[in-house]
């Protein structure tokens, strides 16, 4: 046979035991969990504040985490208590949010997870930090730059970590792209483009308290783009409108394109929409002098139906909990490592404040119809950024 000349020696010559490539993240995470991590982590006692959308995601990861004891869940809606208890088991105490002082007085409690509405974040974060607890909070930390700074200053004062939840950093594909860009795999970046189209259509009740599309949605794209590049923009220009009348009536936007200009010459493009009928559309494209990197939409399974009309794949993931299921678990695992002292805090005050500053500029540009120029003092630039 013609291909016999291409035969190689046995693969056992180079290895005598099973090995796994670093891309096999799920199996490696399994092995790490079975082995009890790296042996440095002790069990962390945690209180979860709020059982809305984010809380419902985190509770599953907290219950299943081998290094977490979910000691408390605080929820204002008592109709949810029975289901919470069923999920967590008898060792978890379910309490009303008004009982926060009692919970925070527990000397065995190590950390708090804040998943309450945005307008409550600052007060709860400060209360938890003052009680000497590490804090994980869904973004944003505060509704204003001043609120955010106050929370981080308290974190520094009491020497407890304040971890801001930007879960996309822990998506394996996005993380791989960031690593490849930083290693120079595609050379200097010319254009980076992020698409985020929401699904399902958010309720108007939620949108009224969301903080608006720039601070509720686009902050994730801003964080990813600046993290991938390691650079902050010097000009932001947005065009936006509301195609949906009910969203226009609450003075928000549902259709946004923002461009970003970076000092290195790189150009950024962000497209954010409030509703995509076909599913939760999340894509990232990075174009460089030596090639291109892409993060495409995931799907629940890889089935393709082939008929006389052609091939048809199953729809993309319908919502963010499905799309970023693995990211949320990895993010929470990182927080546990931070609390245990195994890892350094990956998202600092400088990261959070820079994202908020850019989001403010993007919204200002949309409302005023003109580009907004940004300047950065050295004290505002995160470590590793330029």
């Amino acid at each position: 046979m013609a291909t016999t000349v291409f035969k190689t020696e046995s693969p056992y010559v180079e290895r005598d035991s099973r090995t796994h490539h670093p891309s096999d993240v799920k199996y490696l995470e399994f092995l790490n969990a079975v082995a009890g991590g790296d042996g440095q982590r002790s069990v962390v006692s945690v209180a979860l504040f709020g059982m809305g959308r984010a809380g419902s995601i985190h509770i599953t990861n907290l219950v299943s985490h081998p290094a977490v004891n979910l000691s408390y869940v605080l929820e204002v809606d008592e109709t949810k208590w029975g289901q919470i208890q069923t999920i967590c088991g008898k060792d978890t105490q379910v309490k009303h949010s008004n009982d926060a002082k009692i919970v925070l007085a527990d000397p065995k409690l190590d950390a708090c997870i804040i998943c309450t509405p945005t307008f409550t974040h600052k007060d709860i974060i400060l209360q938890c930090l003052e009680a000497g607890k590490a804090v994980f909070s869904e973004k944003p930390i505060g509704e204003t730059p001043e609120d955010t700074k106050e929370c981080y200053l308290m974190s520094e004062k009491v020497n407890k970590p304040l971890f801001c939840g930007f879960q996309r950093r822990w998506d394996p594909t996005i993380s791989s792209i960031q690593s490849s860009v930083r290693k120079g795999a595609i050379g200097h970046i010319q254009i980076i483009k992020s698409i985020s189209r929401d699904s399902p259509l958010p309720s108007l009740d939620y949108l009224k308290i969301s903080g608006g599309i720039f601070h509720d949605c686009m902050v994730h794209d801003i964080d990813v783009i600046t993290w991938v590049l390691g650079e902050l923009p010097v000009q932001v220009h947005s065009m936006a409108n509301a195609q949906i009348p009910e969203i226009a009536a609450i003075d928000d936007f549902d259709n946004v394109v923002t461009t970003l200009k970076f000092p290195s010459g790189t150009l950024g493009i962000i497209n954010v929409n409030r509703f995509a009928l076909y599913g939760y559309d999340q894509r990232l494209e990075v174009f460089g002098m030596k090639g291109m990197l892409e993060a495409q939409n995931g799907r629940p399974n890889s089935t393709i139906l082939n008929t006389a009309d052609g091939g048809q794949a199953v729809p993309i993931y319908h919502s963010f909990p499905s799309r970023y299921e693995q990211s949320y678990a990895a993010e929470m695992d990182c927080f546990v490592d931070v609390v245990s002292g195994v890892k350094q805090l990956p998202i600092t005050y400088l990261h959070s404040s820079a994202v908020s500053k850019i989001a403010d500029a993007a919204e200002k540009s949309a409302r005023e119809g003109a580009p907004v120029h940004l300047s950065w003092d050295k004290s505002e630039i995160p470590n590793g950024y330029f």
Side-chain angles (χ1 to χ4, degrees):
M1 187 176 181
T3 60
T4 57
V5 296
F6 301 119
K7 278 189 174 183
T8 60
E9 59 188 4
S10 167
Y12 284 105
V13 172
E14 298 179 355
R15 58 182 70 81
D16 58 6
S17 63
R18 175 180 291 188
T19 59
H20 289 265
H21 192 269
S23 65
D24 193 9
V25 291
K26 291 188 177 182
Y27 188 71
L28 293 175
E29 287 172 359
F30 168 76
L31 290 179
N32 188 55
V34 170
D38 55 12
Q40 299 181 50
R41 289 193 299 189
S42 56
V43 174
V44 174
S45 174
V46 171
L48 173 63
F49 287 69
M51 273 294 291
R53 296 193 309 171
S56 299
I57 297 168
H58 291 308
I59 193 171
T60 304
N61 294 323
L62 292 168
V63 168
S64 62
H65 199 291
V68 169
N69 175 25
L70 183 53
S71 303
Y72 303 95
V73 176
L74 291 85
E75 170 54 42
V76 68
D77 185 356
E78 297 184 17
T79 63
K80 297 181 179 180
W81 287 13
Q83 182 62 25
I84 294 171
Q85 200 72 70
T86 300
I87 295 170
C88 299
K90 60 181 178 62
D91 293 334
T92 299
Q93 297 185 49
V94 183
K95 292 185 173 291
H96 195 280
S97 301
N98 292 338
D99 293 327
K101 287 185 178 180
I102 297 174
V103 170
L104 294 175
D106 184 348
K108 295 181 180 179
L109 183 68
D110 300 303
C112 299
I113 315 293
I114 314 303
C115 301
T116 54
T118 296
F119 68 89
T120 68
H121 284 189
K122 173 195 168 185
D123 290 342
I124 298 176
I125 290 171
L126 291 175
Q127 189 178 14
C128 294
L129 289 171
E130 288 171 348
K133 315 302 180 185
V135 175
F136 172 102
S137 176
E138 283 298 324
K139 58 79 191 166
I141 296 296
E143 291 189 282
T144 68
E146 293 76 20
D147 288 348
T148 300
K149 184 174 183 179
E150 183 179 353
C151 290
Y152 276 102
L153 286 174
M154 179 58 71
S155 167
E156 184 178 348
K157 178 181 177 181
V158 301
N159 195 29
K160 292 293 178 180
L162 173 54
F163 190 118
C164 183
F166 281 115
Q167 87 284 351
R168 292 188 194 179
R169 291 195 184 198
W170 283 268
D171 176 81
T173 303
I174 294 174
S175 177
S176 174
I177 287 176
Q178 192 264 0
S179 178
S180 295
V181 168
R182 295 298 189 93
K183 291 176 182 176
I186 58 173
H188 174 61
I189 306 307
Q190 293 175 272
I191 295 176
I192 182 167
K193 179 169 63 177
S194 181
I195 295 174
S196 294
R197 297 172 183 155
D198 211 355
S199 171
L201 180 66
S203 70
L204 288 173
D205 285 341
Y206 170 74
L207 293 181
K208 290 174 183 177
I209 63 169
S210 69
I213 193 169
F214 290 94
H215 285 275
D216 183 45
C217 296
M218 190 180 285
V219 286
H220 287 289
D221 302 88
I222 294 169
D223 179 63
V224 165
I225 284 178
T226 54
W227 178 59
V228 168
L229 296 177
E231 192 174 13
L232 302 176
V234 292
Q235 180 178 296
V236 178
H237 192 186
S238 299
M239 290 178 287
N241 55 37
Q243 302 279 332
I244 301 172
E246 291 83 355
I247 294 180
I250 60 173
D251 193 30
D252 200 359
F253 304 102
D254 56 50
N255 188 39
V256 183
V257 174
T258 294
T259 59
L260 306 99
K261 183 178 179 180
F262 292 87
S264 66
T266 299
L267 300 178
I269 305 168
I270 300 174
N271 168 216
V272 179
N273 297 80
R274 272 298 187 187
F275 179 50
L277 182 67
Y278 53 88
Y280 191 63
D281 190 356
Q282 301 280 292
R283 287 171 281 158
L284 179 67
E285 177 186 291
V286 190
F287 174 65
M289 297 293 288
K290 297 181 180 179
M292 182 175 70
L293 292 160
E294 292 180 278
Q296 295 289 341
N297 284 312
R299 301 176 188 273
N301 64 66
S302 57
T303 301
I304 297 178
L305 171 64
N306 292 288
T307 67
D309 297 323
Q312 181 179 339
V314 299
I316 62 176
Y317 283 115
H318 191 65
S319 64
F320 74 89
S322 299
R323 168 64 179 83
Y324 290 113
E325 177 186 12
Q326 190 173 350
S327 309
Y328 279 111
E331 175 188 53
M332 190 55 63
D333 190 60
C334 181
F335 175 64
V336 172
D337 278 343
V338 170
V339 176
S340 301
V342 176
K343 290 183 178 179
Q344 295 294 313
L345 191 67
I347 300 174
T348 66
Y349 166 63
L350 294 181
H351 294 104
S352 296
S353 61
V355 169
S356 295
K357 180 175 176 176
I358 298 165
D360 283 339
E363 182 170 7
K364 180 180 180 181
S365 174
R367 295 192 180 279
E368 297 182 356
V372 174
H373 295 271
L374 294 170
S375 60
W376 302 92
D377 186 83
K378 288 184 178 181
S379 64
E380 296 180 283
I381 301 175
N383 289 335
Y385 283 33
F386 297 95

